[in-house]
Amino acid sequence: RHFEVQLSNRGESCAEACVHAYDDDDDDDAIRKECVNETQLTSILNSCIAFANNGIECSRGCQFGFDSFLPALDATESTTTCYLQATMAQNDAYSSCTAKHRDYQRLCLCEIKAKS
């Protein structure tokens, strides 16, 4: 399996972000990208280091929350606060590829698949 980390646009779900990442890709049309909704895999994104590894400086640090659209960053602030999903909220049923919030950009895991 092959994966790519994608930062969504403000107010966009990870499902939408992965599709847009595919649409913007200059590679051939033999691939598609889909949001991954498996806690064991997406948990790698739930850290300040994951934001930093993807070029995002959490200048105001990281805070925990329980929302299904986390991990994400607050796109309304002039300095960046990154929000991680609290351990008690992490499960496949709660975390959602379709969750979104108008003020946040989500950190998403997209699986790269061959078109069938």
Side-chain angles (χ1 to χ4, degrees):
R1 295 174 76 179
H2 301 282
F3 303 95
E4 175 180 281
V5 176
Q6 180 71 31
L7 182 66
S8 75
N9 293 319
R10 181 176 169 175
E12 184 176 58
S13 72
C14 284
E16 295 165 327
C18 289
V19 169
H20 291 154
Y22 163 72
D23 290 342
D24 294 341
D25 203 329
D26 291 333
D27 293 343
D28 62 54
D29 291 332
I31 63 166
R32 61 188 166 90
K33 296 177 184 172
E34 292 182 357
C35 177
V36 175
N37 192 31
E38 299 170 42
T39 302
Q40 286 182 316
L41 295 173
T42 57
S43 63
I44 63 168
L45 300 180
N46 202 46
S47 70
C48 286
I49 292 170
F51 281 97
N53 287 344
N54 289 282
I56 302 160
E57 181 186 350
C58 301
S59 56
R60 294 186 66 195
C62 291
Q63 297 180 16
F64 288 96
F66 293 92
D67 298 294
S68 60
F69 60 84
L70 301 177
L73 61 94
D74 189 338
T76 64
E77 299 177 347
S78 58
T79 55
T80 306
T81 302
C82 298
Y83 292 90
L84 309 175
Q85 195 170 66
T87 305
M88 291 173 26
Q90 294 175 19
N91 64 62
D92 290 337
Y94 192 72
S95 181
S96 170
C97 284
T98 58
K100 57 186 171 182
H101 187 287
R102 68 173 184 240
D103 295 332
Y104 289 82
Q105 289 180 268
R106 294 188 66 187
L107 195 59
C108 307
L109 187 63
C110 307
E111 184 173 3
I112 301 168
K113 295 183 171 187
K115 274 193 174 177
S116 41

